[in-house]
Amino acid sequence: MRAARLIKMVLLLQSRSSMTAAELAGELEVSERTVTRDAQALSEAGVPVYAERGRAGGYRLVGGYRTRLTGLARGEAEALFLSGVPGALREMGLEDAASAARLKVSAALLPSLRDASRSAAQRFHLDAPNWFAEPATPELLPAVAEAVWDDRRITARYRRTERDGRAEPDAGPGTEPEAGREAEREAEPEAGREVERELEPYGLVLKAGVWYLCARVADGGALRVYRIDRFTAVTGEGERFTRDQEFDLPAFWQERAEQFARSLLRTEVVVRLSGEGVRRLPYAVGPRSARQALAAAGTPDRDGWVTAALPVESEEVAHGQLTGLGPEVEVLAPAGLRERFARDAARFAGLYRS
């Protein structure tokens, strides 16, 4: 336990020029007194840990001291080689840099661990794109990725989109809340037109084969999400911007993705479902919508059917989704959608009448 903590302390001091006792205590989850004892133990073992007193003081390593990667266990070494996603690195133009880094890590490992990269590759492979979709790498992705790594502003032109007759302020999930959309639509051209913005690119996300950029509109604008395949031009020679050190890309993406998914469910239909219909509902309309509907559904009637209010994107989308359930669902409302299913049923009967 203590040995692992001492190694972690050395690695923390290697990665930062100096750390206070309070910072080390927080990272190591121990008291400041324990940090002092550990620093003394490292010094006695020959690791040049130096303590500076005073308000700006702290602990640091003297003389550019570095430790080797010989302390890695097999599981840790294999996990290290799983951290790269070859296809994504290639699309961002980082394949050569990643390959060189893997070679350097392999050379630093103990001989008994140098097969870690091969054993990891034999056991795990990430295939990011969706089924039945040809993956396409956005032409401008390398330029955007370079700006992300370098914290440089970019000037980007992108195509606005339209869904159900409404223009989207952004080109991807995680758009502004509904209250802010009306002003955005008034301020920008209609959907289908190109818009130019100066952006501070914070991070890239690869979701189901589609690349997204999380970026802040320059000069104090909001953080938004853009689909990179809708960029038509990118100029990446802008000045460096000061990144918000509190920004958490995974947390931001999760929040905006959930917000986007909720924003899609703008209509509600009332349905009756058989037991088989309940089982198949998540595959027809999506898990989020199905969970919400079934959580508030009533008790089964004497035929074993349940009535539920189902959130959907639109009546048109609901028609396509619920058709897949066939006779395991009955649409009760709205009346127009019920009449549409009645016409479908009549057509089916005519097609299959012998």
Side-chain angles (χ1 to χ4, degrees):
M1 183 80 174
R2 190 189 187 197
R5 189 175 70 241
L6 292 173
I7 292 172
K8 184 175 181 180
M9 183 175 180
V10 173
L11 294 175
L12 284 169
L13 293 175
Q14 278 188 194
S15 63
R16 308 178 196 181
S17 58
S18 178
M19 293 184 71
T20 65
E23 290 172 336
L24 284 168
E27 291 282 356
L28 300 172
E29 299 180 353
V30 296
S31 67
E32 292 186 31
R33 180 171 294 182
T34 299
V35 169
T36 301
R37 288 198 298 264
D38 286 351
Q40 181 64 32
L42 287 170
S43 181
E44 292 173 356
V47 178
V49 178
Y50 178 71
E52 294 180 321
R53 300 185 181 277
R55 180 176 298 180
Y59 290 93
R60 63 184 179 85
L61 293 175
V62 179
Y65 176 86
R66 310 294 293 177
T67 186
R68 295 179 179 272
L69 291 174
T70 52
L72 289 177
R74 170 164 290 278
E76 294 169 332
E78 290 175 343
L80 180 65
F81 285 104
L82 289 179
S83 62
V85 184
L89 292 170
R90 181 173 58 252
E91 292 178 8
M92 289 189 292
L94 299 174
E95 184 177 26
D96 291 343
S99 177
R102 286 193 294 269
L103 285 173
K104 291 178 181 179
V105 171
S106 296
L109 290 173
L110 288 170
S112 60
L113 299 179
R114 287 178 185 167
D115 66 335
S117 61
R118 184 174 60 85
S119 61
Q122 288 174 335
R123 289 165 174 81
F124 178 82
H125 173 67
L126 177 63
D127 184 10
N130 272 329
W131 285 102
F132 314 118
E134 288 295 328
T137 303
E139 181 180 349
L140 298 173
L141 176 60
V144 175
E146 183 177 354
V148 169
W149 288 114
D150 207 24
D151 288 342
R152 285 193 180 276
R153 290 183 176 185
I154 60 172
T155 300
R157 292 187 63 82
Y158 70 92
R159 296 187 304 275
R160 290 171 54 77
T161 61
E162 183 173 346
R163 189 202 339 265
D164 296 338
R166 303 191 313 167
E168 295 180 357
D170 288 320
T175 57
E176 292 299 302
E178 196 66 36
R181 290 185 177 179
E182 293 300 329
E184 188 76 32
R185 286 196 288 273
E186 291 176 2
E188 293 199 353
E190 66 272 15
R193 294 282 299 276
E194 288 190 356
V195 177
E196 183 173 286
R197 277 185 175 162
E198 187 177 10
L199 302 174
E200 297 175 353
Y202 267 67
L204 294 167
V205 176
L206 176 61
K207 170 70 171 179
V210 179
W211 283 95
Y212 296 92
L213 172 68
C214 302
R216 186 186 299 280
V217 179
D219 299 322
L223 274 163
R224 298 181 181 174
V225 180
Y226 301 86
R227 277 187 62 149
I228 296 179
D229 60 5
R230 292 180 187 159
F231 283 4
T232 59
V234 171
T235 303
E237 297 300 324
E239 62 183 16
R240 279 193 168 88
F241 64 90
T242 302
R243 173 180 288 267
D244 179 1
Q245 297 302 317
E246 300 298 318
F247 177 71
D248 185 332
L249 179 59
F252 171 80
W253 175 260
Q254 181 177 358
E255 177 188 350
R256 289 304 180 93
E258 290 177 354
Q259 182 185 95
F260 176 67
R262 288 193 301 269
S263 74
L264 292 180
L265 305 177
R266 300 188 295 268
T267 304
E268 187 175 87
V269 300
V270 181
V271 296
R272 286 181 70 237
L273 296 157
S274 68
E276 177 64 11
V278 168
R279 186 187 71 80
R280 290 165 49 188
L281 186 65
Y283 304 100
V285 301
R288 178 187 295 272
S289 181
R291 281 197 305 268
Q292 186 174 331
L294 297 177
T299 56
D301 60 22
R302 63 183 181 181
D303 297 322
W305 289 53
V306 298
T307 300
L310 181 69
V312 294
E313 185 173 344
S314 66
E315 289 187 29
E316 181 68 29
V317 171
H319 176 261
Q321 292 174 330
L322 295 175
T323 295
L325 294 179
E328 308 302 332
V329 62
E330 177 188 2
V331 175
L332 303 179
L337 184 59
R338 179 178 174 86
E339 291 170 2
R340 186 168 179 178
F341 272 94
R343 292 194 299 270
D344 289 349
R347 291 182 62 194
F348 269 115
L351 289 172
Y352 289 97
R353 185 179 297 115
S354 58

